[in-house]
Amino acid sequence: MARPQRQWQEQKIKADALDIILSMDVSLSMLNRDFNPNRLAVAKAVAANFVENRPYDRIGLVAFDGEAFTLCPLTSDRRVVKEYIQTLQIGRVGEGTAIGLGLATAVNRLKNSASKSRIVILLTDGVNNAGFMAPMDAAEIARSLGVKVYTVGVGTEGRGRRRAVQRP
């Protein structure tokens, strides 16, 4: 009660840290309600959980719809990445789903990384229908740079229920 004190200790941890970019689809189709409440909400929850369980890795965030943009560069601050994930919104820069641009932007963020393992996790529900880069071309660039790409499909087979939405 008089002078509470806390003793700080230094700990050495040996871990092979990875550099990971989450590339997330924020196209209009992510509002389909085949999940409750919609695909985007489920993708955000899965991504935030993934980030929470990667204590030693550097993680960044790319979002894409008709265009792609980096929301958060590589960082070891999981709290910041999770905050950016929670701010993801539909319809920020264009219409359509530019999967190739989303992947290429993520790969570009990793190309100069000195990490032994560089990974892109691509979360999308759709088919590439926008952008000037084909997904297979972006995947070939990733392969040539030694970047591993893992794709996570968000949605159910067939058509999902669509919510009436007005673009922001």
Side-chain angles (χ1 to χ4, degrees), residues 6 32 35 41 61 64 71 86 113 122 131 149-150 156 160 166:
R6 186 177 198 172
N32 283 356
F35 292 117
L61 179 64
F64 66 92
L71 279 174
Q86 292 311 312
S113 166
L122 180 69
V149 179
Y150 297 95
T156 57
Q166 290 183 348

Side-chain angles (χ1 to χ4, degrees), residues 23 62 68 98-109 133-134 137-139 141:
S23 185
V62 166
I99 295 171
L101 287 178
L103 178 54
T105 301
V107 169
N108 188 46
R109 281 286 168 186
M133 177 164 288
D137 293 342
I141 293 168

Side-chain angles (χ1 to χ4, degrees), residues 11 61 118 136:
Q11 242 182 351
L61 179 64
R118 300 170 298 165
M136 291 309 290

Side-chain angles (χ1 to χ4, degrees), residues 3 14 21-22 38 61 72-73 86 88 90 92 104 110 132 140 143 149 165-167:
R3 284 188 59 211
K14 183 173 173 138
I21 297 286
L22 297 172
N38 57 47
L61 179 64
C72 181
Q86 292 311 312
L88 287 172
I90 300 299
R92 289 193 121 170
L110 293 169
F132 57 85
E140 180 57 33
R143 188 193 63 74
V149 179
V165 201
Q166 290 183 348
R167 292 193 67 77

Side-chain angles (χ1 to χ4, degrees), residues 78-100:
R78 293 177 306 185
R79 181 187 53 80
V80 168
V81 177
K82 289 192 312 186
E83 285 176 10
Y84 275 107
I85 289 169
Q86 292 311 312
T87 66
L88 287 172
Q89 295 177 346
I90 300 299
R92 289 193 121 170
V93 291
E95 292 188 17
T97 305
I99 295 171

